[in-house]
Amino acid sequence: MSEVQTWIKETVTNTPVVLFMKGTAQAPQCGFSSRAIQILNACGIENIATVNVLEDAEVREGIKTYSNWPTIPQLYIKGEFIGGADIMNEMFESGELKALLDA
């Protein structure tokens, strides 16, 4: 496992809720990342742990390899890959995401 893969694994394992995104929670750099933050806020998650993939090309490519998912943002809850903005939106609308976050 590469250094960046090890770092990603430790990050998603040791942080209950983490969003790999473009930009920061305060200043998202793409519409999908912005929507992901809005969804988490609507679920009552205030201190959202984020990783700005624009700051590190290795992390940006590494997270796609780690999850085998081609797009960003990517949400992890308790070490488990949940999905990107579209999946988050579907889960939010069904109530499934809030239940998962509250568990």
Side-chain angles (χ1 to χ4, degrees):
M1 189 178 280
S2 74
E3 199 174 300
V4 74
Q5 293 293 312
T6 301
W7 181 84
I8 289 168
K9 183 175 189 199
E10 288 173 358
T11 300
V12 301
T13 304
N14 297 329
T15 311
V17 178
V18 63
L19 182 69
F20 287 79
M21 64 179 289
K22 293 177 181 174
T24 64
Q26 296 75 27
Q29 297 292 302
C30 82
F32 293 109
S33 291
S34 179
R35 180 69 187 131
I37 292 293
Q38 290 171 350
I39 291 167
L40 291 172
N41 284 333
C43 289
I45 305 296
E46 291 175 10
N47 295 321
I48 301 166
T50 61
V51 176
N52 181 356
V53 300
L54 298 177
E55 291 179 344
D56 189 330
E58 271 191 270
V59 171
R60 184 168 56 248
E61 292 311 310
I63 193 63
K64 295 174 187 179
T65 303
Y66 183 83
S67 62
N68 198 24
W69 190 261
T71 59
I72 293 164
Q74 294 187 13
L75 177 66
Y76 290 80
I77 298 175
K78 298 181 181 116
E80 183 183 345
F81 174 59
I82 304 303
D86 292 345
I87 291 169
M88 288 175 67
N89 201 50
E90 288 171 21
M91 291 176 70
F92 173 68
E93 288 177 357
S94 72
E96 190 181 349
L97 186 60
K98 176 118 174 71
L100 191 59
L101 289 163
D102 289 346

